[in-house]
Every structure is written in structure tokens, then in C-alpha cells.
Amino acid sequence: MISLLKRNIQKSSILPGFGLSFGFTMLYLSLLVLLPLSMIFLNTASMSWKELWETIANPRVVASYKLSFGASFIAAFLNIVFGVLVAWVLVRYPFPGKYIVDGLVDLPFALPTAVAGIALTALYTPTGWIGQFLGFKVAFTPIGIIIALTFIGLPFVVRTVQPVLQNIDKEVEEASVSLGASRFQTFTKVIFPELLPAILTGFALAFARALGEYGSVVFIAGNMPMRTEITPLLIMTKLEQYDYAGATAIASVMLVISFLLLFAINLLQWWSNKKLVHR
């Protein structure tokens, strides 16, 4: 049975040396992913249960959790809306400067996060180019944090949805219209189911990126405890105070909650893919 399994693996594999490549993959993942993450829990284990609970259940820490996860979720949801819209325009409509706009989508990838944070703060302060025309305060509020997280997460949604849109056969849409479907029905019944797995992937990537963001947020947030203090900043504060156990305790909570949320999103993505296959 084992020899038959090995022969099937060798037949289905394009590259030879499955055992060696698989071993190298596991070693690579262990050194760069599993080992660093395990150190978080090992450092946290040096604390007693009482110390651990006092650290992670501190009102200031809980407020930072709510802000980080809430702002990240809202920013990822906004990126779904505007990311799909941007991808739709780039794929479906020709216009002058299209390739320039397409290149600008990737700007948050290349731009240093600190530069992005300073630029957004300069724009949205009460005396900034945009902030002076708004009737409410944006910089140094949770709204500013959401704007910064939306800025850095937009490319993830655009780049996951764009190739799927390009591969959708327009004849399917034409057939839907010829059968009497409206534009809204064509989008919701024909196009959207095809885009849903890519949208969920983009949402997961944008959400994960926003959770760990520090540089672009720290300037526009104002960093006021209990109001605009994000969890990554609180972890950095603990590290600057040489409270490594406290920093890893907060980080471990972030890691566990992030894993559970991403696991749920991946389950939803798996369900949508399975449903799409059986259509």
C-alpha cells in the first residue's frame, strides 16, 4: 500500500524528489514560522495564571483589542466594496492612463508605512488639505485609523479579484441578459458567485495585514490610551519597558484570535468554492 502511494505521488509530481522537497519545505516553515510563533507562547508561559490574566484583561489592553480588531474588520469590509469596484473598472473599461492607475494600486505595497502614515496625517489634520474641509475630526480618531488600514489593504482585494474578473467569460453574461435577466440579476446570480472566493481571500489578506499594521497607523492614531491606542503599539510599549513576558502575552492573544478568525474565513471560502464547483 505504501509503495503504491509512493508510485502515485511520483507519477503525479512534475518535479522529482518529493521527500527531499517536502522535508526542505517543512524545515523552512519551522524555522521561519513555527519556531518564532512558538517562542511567543514559551515566553508567555513564564508568567503565572494570575499575572497572565491581569495583563491580557487590563482595561487598556482590552480597549486596544476592540480598536484593532474592529478597525481592521471595517477597513477590510470597505476594501471589499472599493476593491471590487476598482478591479471592475480596470478590467471592464478602457480609459486614458489606465496602466498608470493600475500601477498606482500597488503603491501601498512599495511605500514605506511610516511615509504613508505621515502623508495621511498631513492630509487629514484639521489644517490639512482634506481635513480643513471636513466638518468633523479625522486625524487622531478611530476614523483616521480606519482610513490608514483601508489604504494599506486595498491592493490585496484588487489583485485577488482582478484576475478572476478577467477570466469570466462574457458569453455567460450575454446569455443571462438574452434570457431576460436585468443587470443587477446578472451581477448577483452570475458574476458575484464567481467572485465570492476571490473576495473572501482578499478580505482575509486585507484583514490580516491591517491587524499587524503599525507604521502607517501610529502617526494618524494619536495613541491616546483607551481611545486610539492600537494593540501593536501597546506591544511596542511593553517591549520598550523590557516587559517581554507582558508583550508576548498580549501578542499571544492577538495570535489566537487572529488564527480563529482567519480559520473561520477560510472555512467560508472552502464552502463557497465547494458550492461553486457543484453548480
Side-chain angles (χ1 to χ4, degrees):
M1 183 68 181
I2 297 176
S3 60
L4 180 61
L5 180 61
K6 288 182 178 179
R7 285 198 298 269
N8 290 334
I9 292 175
Q10 290 174 355
K11 289 180 181 179
S12 62
S13 177
I14 298 176
L15 297 177
F18 170 77
L20 179 62
S21 59
F22 180 76
F24 177 78
T25 301
M26 295 305 299
L27 177 64
Y28 182 83
L29 290 176
S30 299
L31 292 177
L32 293 184
V33 179
L34 298 180
L35 186 60
L37 293 181
S38 64
M39 292 303 299
I40 294 178
F41 295 102
L42 288 175
N43 284 333
T44 305
S46 63
M47 306 175 68
S48 65
W49 285 107
K50 182 180 179 181
E51 292 173 338
L52 176 63
W53 180 253
E54 289 177 351
T55 300
I56 63 176
N58 184 281
R60 181 178 176 184
V61 178
V62 173
S64 73
Y65 288 148
K66 293 179 180 178
L67 179 61
S68 293
F69 283 99
S72 298
F73 185 86
I74 294 173
F77 181 79
L78 291 175
N79 279 325
I80 285 180
V81 178
F82 295 107
V84 172
L85 180 61
V86 171
W88 183 275
V89 171
L90 290 175
V91 171
R92 294 301 178 94
Y93 302 110
F95 56 90
K98 177 179 178 179
Y99 294 105
I100 297 176
V101 175
D102 189 47
L104 288 175
V105 171
D106 294 326
L107 185 61
F109 284 149
L111 192 67
T113 55
V115 175
I118 293 172
L120 292 172
T121 305
L123 285 174
Y124 288 102
T125 53
T127 58
W129 289 1
I130 298 178
Q132 62 180 328
F133 299 109
L134 299 176
F136 53 91
K137 190 176 181 181
V138 173
F140 317 127
T141 67
I143 299 175
I145 297 174
I146 293 172
I147 290 176
L149 297 180
T150 304
F151 172 79
I152 57 100
L154 181 65
F156 291 100
V157 179
V158 176
R159 294 313 183 201
T160 53
V161 173
Q162 192 173 6
V164 179
L165 266 176
Q166 290 172 339
N167 292 328
I168 293 179
D169 193 352
K170 291 185 179 180
E171 293 180 356
V172 178
E173 300 175 41
E174 294 172 357
S176 174
V177 174
S178 65
L179 292 174
S182 63
R183 290 185 177 181
F184 179 76
Q185 290 175 326
T186 301
F187 179 80
T188 56
K189 301 296 184 180
V190 178
I191 300 175
F192 183 75
E194 297 283 344
L195 295 180
L196 184 58
I199 290 174
L200 292 175
T201 301
F203 177 86
L205 292 173
F207 179 74
R209 178 71 176 84
L211 274 180
E213 181 59 24
Y214 176 79
S216 62
V217 178
V218 70
F219 294 102
I220 198 171
N223 309 321
M224 291 176 283
M226 306 294 294
R227 293 183 59 189
T228 60
E229 188 176 44
I230 58 173
T231 305
L233 175 64
L234 203 55
I235 294 173
M236 287 296 299
T237 303
K238 292 283 186 182
L239 292 174
E240 290 174 353
Q241 296 171 351
Y242 301 101
D243 185 7
Y244 299 116
T248 54
I250 298 173
S252 63
V253 174
M254 286 281 289
L255 180 61
V256 171
I257 298 177
S258 301
F259 176 80
L260 293 176
L261 290 174
L262 292 176
F263 181 72
I265 294 171
N266 285 329
L267 281 180
L268 183 60
Q269 182 184 6
W270 171 81
W271 173 80
S272 64
N273 278 325
K274 185 177 179 181
K275 187 176 180 181
L276 186 62
V277 169
H278 290 287
R279 288 182 60 194

